[in-house]
């Protein structure tokens, strides 16, 4: 038994960045309204939402009013304070559910969870101080990466340890936050699989995309990824295993390392994902609509890939080239409406139909 | 010299129906905001607009405030009162311009204008009373259609005259409004060409679509239309002639009858058009984005057709089938968020990728 949100219903979205913006647009295609909650005035998603609440995640009365005004709540980022989630969940369902957030908010919990499902991850160990870091390095070796367990994104909160000499500076970079040491994985390429699970338990996977990162930030995703049939099947099965284990509802992004020994899970994101933006121009139903369908209790849509696509992020002053990109044949431009182009800031992306 | 609206600029849209809604979504892809002006509370486009003004077209202070808050003004329907346009144009540019509105607001003016460009139309005559109607019927013959010169859409304000016996009832149906008698055109099929002209004068045409109407309302548009090469070329040239003559900026919809003697222009709509909705799933840049690009001073985008598509309107209780349509492979569903499904009301559409 699943309820289905009818046209005119409202979806609450925590976070008003570009992901929230594209979720709001997808919701509109299904006749649904959106209400954006974001602490910062002028969030990009506010341009295309029916209602915007500008308030902090510690503002319990704003959170309650927000929850009461919507039919279901979703989010564009995983680092939402637990108290805020509690306040909302007392009033409306949150999808994807709390277990997905609990697992993905903490890199250590996530790795334990994935290992528990029988999936391969990089070698890892919890690090709280110099002693535990030395112990971890003895076991895992170098090169390795020390990461804060929580609140990292786009390469932030990370320090590379090339040799034992880097130990102290790496630990200092954590600013006393609980950390995790991750060993090096010798990978051929990085891919990600964007998958969805409906309220009724149906699972659908998009064709995996091949990712290129620069400076910790995703630069391009290309479909099809260079994978053999077995790897392609493994990626889908693995995503399905995670979705079912979490009794997940919505879209998930699973980043994978492709190695000679098989697929290694790098991390999971319980939301639409930058590496799934290509679906906007390669599929009839994109990842944003698929997510809205899932959390709204709708059937999942046709996620088949009908074109080869390269998605390129427009970062910082890349966006200055917007007018040139707008004239490129077979290129679909997506800008996020951010006024200020700071270095490293994602300003938009372009999907190029290949071939 | 053309100015280009930068991300964060605002486009004002007169009319908040489904066309305004899809224009707002397209604007968001280019990083632009929208401000909707509509007399009716809860207009569909309001769900995805940055700002909504609910006020009448006779509210001069609301119109002025609206105009001052935006960078350029466009519209989703052509029957905007002249006084409202005057109030806006004193403050901000209106695109497409006033000449396009003047011509298309009045069926008689439109036919005179098209004939003046050397384009073929149905035989027609102005009708103001019984005497002029009889004179017109003597010249044009039956069957013919009597139409109000202004404010008609979706078959409203029209009366068919099958024989001279229908004369009085047809005239009565006009309610004393100035009318036009249009003679019958023996056509093989109806097609429409959606074309665009940029602020700099560049013209681009989408591949013509073939239309099927039922009860005066568009039912389906299919691309490619069954046209030979000469007809296809004629359609594009004819659209270009109209756009250039009007010094037009934006997207126009030109409805054509295909006859053994060539293409006959039925009517033009100075806006995005229902028969162009297929472009959302057949092209990299759809008609809505093309229109926004044009009026924002951007270069026109790639309007090449990359798929065969059938667009089907969901009218009245057709929308009850939304969940079934949502599960159809290769089908993209678009709902307009209208709560009440009245008979004849356009509730959404579905674009089916063919083949």
């Amino acid at each position: 038994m699943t309820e289905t949100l009818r046209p005119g219903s409202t979806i609450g979205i925590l976070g008003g960045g570009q992901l929230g913006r594209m979720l709001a647009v997808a919701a509109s295609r299904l006749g649904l309204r959106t209400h954006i909650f974001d602490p910062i005035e002028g969030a990009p998603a506010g341009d295309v939402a029916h209602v915007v609440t500008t308030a902090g995640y510690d503002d319990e009365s704003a959170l309650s009013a927000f929850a009461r005004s919507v039919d279901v709540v979703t989010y564009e980022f995983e680092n939402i304070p637990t108290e805020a989630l509690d306040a909302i969940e007392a009033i409306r369902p949150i999808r994807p559910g709390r277990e997905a957030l609990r697992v993905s908010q903490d890199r250590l919990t996530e790795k334990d969870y994935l290992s528990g499902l029988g999936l391969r991850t990089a070698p890892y160990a919890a690090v709280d101080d110099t002693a535990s870091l030395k112990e971890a390095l003895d076991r895992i070796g170098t090169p390795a990466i020390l990461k804060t367990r929580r609140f990292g994104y786009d390469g932030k909160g990370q320090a590379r340890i090339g040799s034992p000499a880097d130990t102290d500076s790496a630990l200092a970079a954590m600013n006393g936050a609980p950390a995790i040491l991750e060993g090096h994985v010798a990978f051929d390429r990085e891919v990600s699989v964007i998958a969805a699970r409906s309220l009724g338990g149906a699972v659908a996977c998009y064709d995996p995309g091949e990712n290129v990162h620069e400076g910790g930030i995703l630069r391009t995703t290309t479909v099809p990824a260079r994978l053999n049939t077995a790897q392609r099947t493994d990626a889908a099965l693995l995503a399905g295993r995670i979705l079912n284990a979490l009794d997940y509802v919505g879209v998930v992004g699973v980043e994978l390392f492709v190695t000679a020994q098989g697929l290694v899970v790098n991390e999971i994101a319980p939301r639409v994902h930058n590496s799934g933006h290509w679906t906007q121009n390669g599929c009839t139903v994109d990842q944003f609509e698929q997510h809205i369908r899932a959390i709204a209790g709708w059937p999942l849509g046709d996620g088949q890939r009908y074109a080869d696509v390269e998605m390129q992020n427009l970062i910082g002053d890349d966006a200055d080239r917007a007018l040139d990109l707008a004239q490129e044949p077979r290129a679909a431009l997506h800008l996020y409406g951010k006024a200020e182009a700071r270095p490293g800031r994602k300003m938009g992306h372009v999907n190029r139909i290949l071939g």
Side-chain angles (χ1 to χ4, degrees), chain A:
Chain A
M1 255 309 267
T2 60
E3 77 273 29
T4 298
L5 295 195
R6 306 299 304 169
S9 304
T10 302
I11 290 173
I13 302 176
L14 298 168
Q18 62 268 21
L19 300 181
R21 181 180 173 101
M22 293 184 278
L23 284 170
V25 163
S28 83
R29 279 201 300 270
L30 300 178
L32 302 169
R33 291 173 165 174
T34 47
H35 182 159
I36 302 290
F37 189 104
D38 196 287
I40 296 169
E41 189 79 40
D47 293 355
V48 285
H50 187 60
V51 184
V52 180
T53 294
T54 306
Y57 289 111
D58 56 354
D59 185 339
E60 206 171 319
S61 77
L63 288 164
S64 297
F66 165 75
R68 277 192 303 271
S69 78
V70 304
D71 296 286
V72 63
V73 173
T74 191
Y75 43 87
E76 63 153 16
F77 73 117
E78 51 272 35
N79 292 316
I80 306 150
T82 300
E83 296 71 20
L85 296 167
D86 289 342
I88 289 166
E89 203 171 29
I91 299 168
R92 289 290 182 275
I94 298 175
R95 295 176 189 147
R98 296 295 292 275
E99 179 68 352
L101 281 164
R102 186 188 69 80
V103 166
S104 62
Q105 280 182 344
D106 184 315
R107 292 181 190 280
L108 184 67
T109 310
E110 183 177 303
K111 288 241 178 345
D112 286 344
Y113 189 84
L114 295 168
S115 305
L117 292 180
L119 305 176
R120 294 185 57 209
T121 71
Y124 67 95
V127 170
D128 296 306
D129 49 26
T130 311
S132 52
L133 177 52
K134 281 197 194 314
E135 198 177 314
L137 281 168
D138 283 347
R139 182 160 65 79
I140 293 169
T142 56
I145 301 179
L146 191 64
K147 300 178 176 179
T148 55
R149 284 172 52 177
R150 296 173 59 99
F151 304 117
Y153 71 98
D154 284 352
K156 292 182 177 37
Q158 306 194 1
R160 190 170 181 281
I161 302 182
S163 77
D166 301 332
T167 306
D168 289 348
S169 64
L171 199 59
M174 300 298 106
N175 277 319
I180 179 174
L181 186 74
E182 297 183 7
H184 179 69
V185 175
F187 61 84
D188 298 325
R189 51 190 63 100
E190 291 177 79
V191 302
S192 54
V193 54
I194 309 295
R197 188 166 177 275
S198 75
L199 200 51
V203 170
C205 272
Y206 290 100
D207 200 10
E210 183 165 337
N211 301 326
V212 174
H213 289 84
E214 278 174 24
I217 303 178
L218 183 66
R219 191 77 213 174
T220 62
T221 300
T222 305
V223 283
R226 289 169 296 167
L227 293 173
N228 61 35
T229 307
Q231 289 166 332
R232 213 168 282 273
T233 306
D234 281 355
L237 290 175
L238 168 164
R241 198 184 309 178
I242 296 169
L243 288 172
N244 288 325
L246 290 168
D247 193 18
Y248 195 91
V249 178
V251 161
V252 73
V254 182
E255 292 187 29
L256 302 168
F257 296 127
V258 182
T259 77
Q261 291 76 42
L263 301 175
V264 174
V265 183
N266 180 24
E267 63 180 40
I268 63 176
R271 53 171 169 78
V272 289
H273 196 260
N274 194 167
S275 65
H277 291 0
W278 66 266
T279 58
Q280 293 174 312
N281 299 96
C283 302
T284 308
V285 172
D286 69 22
Q287 67 163 346
F288 301 100
E289 182 174 330
Q290 200 72 298
H291 185 78
I292 296 292
R293 283 170 174 247
I295 64 163
W298 281 54
L300 298 181
D302 181 1
Q304 282 296 308
R305 186 173 62 76
Y306 293 121
D308 294 357
V309 186
E310 182 201 71
M311 187 287 306
Q312 182 192 340
N313 272 334
L314 303 177
I315 297 167
D317 56 17
D318 286 350
D320 295 346
R321 293 162 41 228
L323 289 184
D324 289 334
L325 295 167
Q327 294 177 80
E328 229 184 80
R330 313 200 76 155
L333 183 63
H334 298 260
L335 297 177
Y336 307 149
K338 298 177 183 176
E340 198 194 342
R342 293 193 294 270
R345 193 178 199 200
K346 291 175 180 171
M347 303 298 292
H349 66 275
V350 59
N351 287 330
R352 294 191 172 91
I353 308 295
L354 305 174

